[in-house]
């Protein structure tokens, strides 16, 4: 995020480079930088003749170079944005000559998503020398809640740890999807609001009581009644609560719990740092560790591996995912 802010700040200062190569697996920041350039480098009056949007599947490198070498009309610069530039992967080397000597009055933006860009290529090194290369990497799941908090803080909102975790567990690490949901919340909630689990439930449709976060907590507490209620809800709503996600999140939780058991220093601050969790959730691990000694945790992890395979249709004899989840709860809470 800091690198993105620096790119935007440089553009605002007029320190605009002739080429921006935006690469990586996370499209959110690639789109954010590209959109910012599209909206802010030229005035509305200049855009008609001097801004062009191309798509990798529809053009060749020669077309891009031809457009990039044009001189702007009644403007200091022109902007050429190539979306889905990864479709040009096989011929991207043909951009080398232009990358070495780009047109100074052109801002060429290459949105190269999802595919790896070989950093050993001469064209990559040339662009890095004459322009800007930004790599947008997928955030690890344990970093997403903090990203949510930072984004909201920049918009004068806060969010409770539980609400942030609900978004992460429901939407994963897809920043574009998460941002879309945050934008919805901004529409209905005034600035300065602390977004709560209730706000998430009312406006996004994620149940605050029946979700993987609450299931994990119920299992850690050995609250069988609550765990089975949640699993029944999952069984009744399988599309919104796929078993593969539930098992994956439980596996992550118990793996962290195994790590907790192995810590010599169980000071809350050290636990939060070692497990890479919000300090708010430390007590949940402390209680779960009492209910699941190290040996039991190892057994649970083995059971989860077994049910991960069953949930994918192996040796499950066409048993429904709802019934598999119920069986899993029996095994975990036995």
């Amino acid at each position: 995020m800091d690198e993105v802010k620096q790119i935007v700040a440089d553009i605002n200062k007029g320190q605009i480079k002739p080429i921006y190569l935006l690469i990586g697996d996370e499209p959110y920041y690639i789109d954010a930088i590209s959109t910012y350039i599209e909206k802010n480098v030229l005035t509305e009056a200049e855009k008609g003749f001097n801004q062009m949007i191309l798509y990798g599947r529809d053009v060749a490198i020669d077309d891009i170079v031809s457009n990039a070498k044009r001189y702007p009309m009644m403007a200091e610069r022109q902007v050429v944005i190539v979306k889905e530039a990864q479709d040009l992967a096989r011929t991207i080397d043909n951009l080398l000559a232009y990358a070495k000597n780009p047109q100074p009055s052109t801002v060429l933006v290459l949105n190269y998503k999802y595919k790896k860009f070989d950093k050993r290529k001469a064209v990559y090194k040339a662009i890095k020398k004459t322009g800007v290369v930004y790599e947008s990497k997928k955030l690890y799941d344990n970093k997403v809640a903090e990203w949510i908090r930072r984004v909201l803080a920049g918009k004068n909102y806060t969010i409770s740890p539980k609400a942030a975790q609900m978004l992460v567990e429901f939407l994963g690490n897809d920043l574009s999807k998460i941002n879309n949901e945050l934008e919805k919340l901004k529409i209905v909630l005034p600035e300065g609001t602390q977004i709560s689990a209730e706000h998430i439930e009312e406006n996004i449709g994620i149940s605050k009581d029946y979700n993987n976060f609450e299931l994990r907590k119920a299992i850690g507490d050995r609250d069988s009644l609550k765990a089975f209620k949640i699993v029944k809800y999952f069984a009744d709503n399988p599309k919104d609560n796929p078993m593969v996600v539930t098992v994956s999140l439980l596996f992550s939780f118990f793996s962290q719990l195994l790590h907790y058991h192995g810590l010599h220093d169980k000071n809350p601050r050290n636990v939060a740092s070692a497990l890479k969790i919000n300090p708010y959730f430390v007590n949940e691990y402390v209680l779960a560790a009492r209910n699941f000694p190290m040996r039991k945790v190892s057994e649970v992890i083995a059971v989860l591996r077994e049910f991960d395979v069953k949930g994918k249709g192996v040796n499950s004899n066409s048993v429904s995912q709802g019934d598999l989840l119920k069986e899993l709860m029996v095994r975990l809470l036995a």
Side-chain angles (χ1 to χ4, degrees):
M1 186 183 288
D2 292 338
E3 192 177 350
V4 175
K5 287 181 179 178
Q6 186 60 55
I7 291 171
V8 170
D10 288 343
I11 292 171
N12 289 337
K13 292 175 188 174
Q15 299 171 6
I16 303 173
K17 297 293 185 178
I19 307 181
Y20 290 82
L21 174 60
L22 311 176
I23 61 177
D25 297 324
E26 175 49 68
Y28 176 79
Y29 283 120
I30 292 175
D31 290 338
I33 295 170
S34 179
T35 300
Y36 190 85
I37 291 172
E38 181 181 342
K39 290 184 176 180
N40 294 281
V41 168
L42 301 178
T43 67
E44 289 302 319
E46 292 170 336
K47 288 177 184 177
F49 291 108
N50 298 292
Q51 187 154 284
M52 180 171 295
I53 309 293
L54 305 173
Y55 289 86
R57 65 178 179 272
D58 298 326
V59 296
I61 295 295
D62 287 347
D63 300 322
I64 295 169
V65 171
S66 176
N67 281 289
K69 283 185 173 180
R70 283 193 312 117
Y71 287 98
M73 293 181 62
M74 296 177 288
E76 184 181 352
R77 294 184 179 89
Q78 68 159 345
V79 173
V80 178
I81 298 174
V82 184
K83 297 188 176 183
E84 310 301 338
Q86 69 274 8
D87 290 339
L88 294 162
R90 292 182 179 178
T91 57
I92 197 70
D93 289 339
N94 296 340
L95 191 63
L96 177 59
Y98 180 82
K100 286 181 175 179
N101 186 30
Q103 182 79 3
S105 58
T106 293
V107 182
L108 175 61
V109 183
L110 302 168
N111 296 343
Y112 194 103
K113 302 177 184 176
Y114 310 121
K115 285 186 178 180
K116 293 290 184 184
F117 197 109
D118 189 346
K119 297 177 183 178
R120 298 169 298 178
K121 285 180 176 288
V123 65
Y124 176 89
K125 294 174 182 177
I127 294 173
K128 195 164 186 179
K129 186 175 181 179
T130 59
V132 169
V133 175
Y134 171 73
E135 184 172 5
S136 184
K137 297 179 180 178
K138 282 281 187 186
L139 283 185
Y140 292 114
D141 289 347
N142 63 356
K143 299 289 186 183
V144 179
E146 177 59 28
W147 180 85
I148 292 170
R149 282 189 284 275
R150 290 180 66 184
V151 167
L152 287 173
K155 299 174 181 177
N156 198 25
Y157 290 85
T158 57
I159 188 167
S160 73
K162 178 177 177 179
Q165 196 64 29
M166 286 169 63
L167 286 172
V168 174
E169 294 192 357
F170 189 73
L171 298 170
N173 62 354
D174 188 323
L175 302 188
S176 296
K177 283 185 180 179
I178 293 172
N179 188 65
N180 287 341
E181 299 303 333
L182 295 181
E183 290 297 319
K184 292 177 188 176
L185 291 171
K186 279 177 56 188
I187 293 171
V188 297
L189 301 174
E191 282 191 31
T193 299
Q194 180 177 56
I195 297 168
S196 66
E198 287 74 15
H199 291 134
I200 299 294
E201 181 175 54
E202 291 167 7
N203 297 287
I204 297 179
I206 307 170
S207 171
K208 66 181 176 61
D209 297 316
Y210 298 98
N211 56 64
N212 284 304
F213 172 81
E214 291 296 332
L215 177 62
R216 185 184 75 185
K217 188 173 185 304
I219 294 170
D221 292 346
R222 281 198 170 274
D223 186 340
S224 299
L225 180 61
K226 184 176 180 181
F228 278 98
K229 280 184 178 179
I230 295 171
V231 164
K232 183 180 184 305
Y233 178 86
F234 284 5
D236 293 339
N237 301 274
K239 289 185 179 179
D240 293 331
N241 304 279
M243 181 178 172
V244 64
V245 173
T246 298
V247 172
S248 174
L249 291 170
L250 289 177
F251 182 85
S252 176
F253 173 69
F254 278 98
S255 296
Q256 288 175 309
L257 197 56
L258 191 64
H259 188 182
Y260 172 86
H261 277 299
L263 293 175
H264 294 295
D265 180 1
K266 290 187 170 62
N267 177 282
R269 182 175 295 179
N270 184 61
V271 170
S273 175
L275 301 188
K276 296 180 173 60
I277 59 173
N278 189 301
Y280 175 87
F281 298 113
V282 168
N283 283 340
E284 181 181 331
Y285 287 81
V286 173
L287 180 58
R290 292 178 192 155
N291 290 325
F292 291 86
M294 182 178 282
R295 185 171 181 177
K296 180 63 177 175
V297 172
S298 298
E299 292 173 3
V300 165
I301 288 174
V303 170
L304 288 169
R305 284 187 173 130
E306 175 188 337
F307 276 79
D308 177 57
V309 173
K310 286 184 176 180
K312 294 169 181 172
V314 179
N315 298 324
S316 58
N317 297 321
S318 301
V319 179
S320 72
Q321 295 210 345
D323 287 338
L324 283 174
L325 277 175
K326 292 172 187 175
E327 182 185 348
L328 175 60
M329 289 306 104
V330 172
R331 297 274 297 276
L332 296 187
L333 297 169

